[in-house]
Amino acid sequence: MRVEYINPFVTSLKNTFQTMLNCDTKRGQVCLQDGSTSRHPVSGVIGLTGKAVGTVVLNLSENVALKAAATLLLTEMPSINDEVLDAVGELTNMVTGAAKAELEEYELKVSLPNVITGANHEIHFPSDVTPVCVPFETEWGKLTLEVGLAPVEEEAIV
Amino acid sequence: MRVEYINPFVTSLKNTFQTMLNCDTKRGQVCLQDGSTSRHPVSGVIGLTGKAVGTVVLNLSENVALKAAATLLLTEMPSINDEVLDAVGELTNMVTGAAKAELEEYELKVSLPNVITGANHEIHFPSDVTPVCVPFETEWGKLTLEVGLAPVEEEAIV
C-alpha cells in the first residue's frame, strides 16, 4: 500500500478540526513509526476493514481532548470523563469517515471507536505494518495522527 | 444484539488456548462492564465490521502474555518485546477469527490486531455499547476476554 494513503487522513483531520471545532492545526513532519506509538495520554482508535485492513489512532494531549470535547459538547470539561471519552471516539470516527470516502478503491468499513487512556500506554502495530505518523500543533496543544494499513490479498478477503 | 454473541468468543478462546498453547482455561462469571475495561497490562485489540461493529479485547497478565508467546514461538520470553507483542496480536486474531466463523449471520470482517501495553491503560467503549467481559484463570495467570458489539442498521451499512 502506498504511503500516500495518509493524505486523505491528514486532510480529513484538518477539515474536521476546522469545521467541527473551529481549531486551526499546523502539521509537522510525517514520520514512520517503529511499530509502537502514542506519546499523549488519550488515544481514539478505530479499526478498518475492506481491501486494506488497519487502524487509525488519534493520539491527543489531555488538553486537546478536553478542549475538543468542550467545543463539541458546548460546555466546560475540566477533566477526562465518559463524555470526553465519547467525544474523542466520535472525533476519531469523523476523521476516519471522511478519509474513508477519499479511499473508495479500498472499500473500507470502520469498526467501533475505542478510546485508550493511561499516561504511558503504547499502541503497537504488527511488526510487518509500519504506521505512518503525522504530528500536529494546535492552540490547545499537540496531537498525533497515526495510520497503519495493510493491503488484503483478493483471495484472502472473506 | 444478543448477549449470547459472547459464547462463540468464549468457546474460541478455550479451544485456541487448548489446541495452540496446550493451556487449560477456567472460565469465571460473565459480567457487563461499565464501558471501561482492562485490569491487566497487555491487551490484544481487534476491530470488527459487518452487520455488527465492535471490538474484541484479550486483556492478559504479563505472565500469560509471556508464556503464550513462548509457547507459540518455541523459545523462552523473559520480558515483553516485539515478538511477544506480535504473538499476542496473533492470538487475538486466532480467537476472533474462529468466533467470527460461528457468527456468520453478521458477516463479520476483522481489522488488524493492535496490542496496547501500559500498567494502567484503560480501553473505553462508546457509552451506548456495553462490553461483555469474561475472566479466565490459567496455570500461567489471569486473563479477561472483552467483547463489545453493536448491530448496524441495514441502511447505515456503506
Side-chain angles (χ1 to χ4, degrees):
Chain A
M1 189 151 196
R2 321 172 315 260
V3 159
E4 292 77 35
Y5 69 73
I6 192 72
N7 290 335
F9 292 94
V10 170
T11 304
S12 171
L13 187 144
K14 286 188 86 74
N15 289 346
T16 303
F17 270 67
Q18 186 61 64
T19 58
M20 301 300 294
L21 305 176
N22 195 26
C23 176
D24 284 330
T25 51
K26 191 179 158 204
R27 171 186 165 171
Q29 194 70 39
V30 174
C31 57
L32 298 177
Q33 289 296 110
D34 61 0
S36 134
T37 66
S38 83
R39 281 144 302 283
H40 307 304
V42 181
S43 294
V45 176
I46 201 161
L48 293 168
T49 67
K51 292 187 176 172
V53 291
T55 310
V56 177
V57 179
L58 215 59
N59 181 229
L60 308 178
S61 69
E62 181 169 317
N63 197 53
V64 172
L66 293 174
K67 290 293 195 297
T71 308
L72 285 174
L73 299 167
L74 304 173
T75 180
E76 281 287 294
M77 284 290 158
S79 63
I80 302 288
N81 59 23
D82 284 349
E83 285 179 294
V84 173
L85 297 171
D86 271 2
V88 170
E90 191 45 39
L91 194 61
T92 311
N93 207 21
M94 288 189 275
V95 170
T96 307
K100 180 175 79 98
E102 298 295 309
L103 290 163
E104 57 183 347
E105 70 267 36
Y106 294 109
E107 299 172 15
L108 297 176
K109 293 184 182 178
V110 298
S111 73
L112 215 57
N114 288 102
V115 180
I116 321 288
T117 56
N120 298 308
H121 77 269
E122 291 193 10
I123 300 175
H124 307 268
F125 282 73
S127 53
D128 56 351
V129 175
T130 303
V132 178
C133 127
V134 188
F136 290 85
E137 303 239 5
T138 75
E139 64 196 279
W140 298 329
K142 298 185 178 193
L143 65 117
T144 308
L145 169 70
E146 291 151 344
V147 183
L149 276 176
V152 173
E153 301 298 321
E154 281 299 325
E155 61 271 34
I157 299 178
V158 284
Chain B
M1 190 150 195
R2 319 173 315 262
V3 158
E4 292 78 34
Y5 70 72
I6 192 73
N7 291 334
F9 293 94
V10 170
T11 304
S12 172
L13 187 144
K14 286 189 85 75
N15 289 346
T16 303
F17 270 66
Q18 185 62 62
T19 57
M20 301 300 294
L21 304 176
N22 195 25
C23 176
D24 284 329
T25 51
K26 191 179 157 203
R27 170 186 166 173
Q29 194 70 37
V30 173
C31 57
L32 298 177
Q33 289 296 110
D34 62 359
S36 134
T37 65
S38 83
R39 282 144 300 282
H40 307 302
V42 181
S43 294
V45 176
I46 199 159
L48 293 168
T49 68
K51 291 188 175 171
V53 291
T55 310
V56 177
V57 179
L58 214 58
N59 181 230
L60 308 179
S61 68
E62 181 170 315
N63 197 53
V64 172
L66 294 174
K67 290 293 196 298
T71 307
L72 285 173
L73 300 167
L74 304 173
T75 179
E76 281 286 296
M77 285 289 158
S79 64
I80 302 288
N81 59 22
D82 284 349
E83 285 179 294
V84 172
L85 297 170
D86 272 2
V88 171
E90 190 45 39
L91 194 60
T92 310
N93 207 22
M94 288 189 277
V95 170
T96 306
K100 180 174 79 96
E102 298 294 310
L103 290 163
E104 59 182 346
E105 70 268 35
Y106 294 107
E107 299 172 15
L108 298 174
K109 293 182 182 182
V110 298
S111 73
L112 216 55
N114 288 102
V115 181
I116 321 289
T117 56
N120 297 309
H121 78 270
E122 290 193 10
I123 300 175
H124 307 268
F125 283 74
S127 53
D128 57 350
V129 175
T130 304
V132 178
C133 126
V134 188
F136 290 85
E137 303 239 5
T138 74
E139 65 196 278
W140 299 328
K142 296 184 178 195
L143 66 116
T144 307
L145 169 70
E146 290 150 345
V147 183
L149 276 176
V152 174
E153 300 298 319
E154 279 299 325
E155 61 270 35
I157 298 178
V158 285

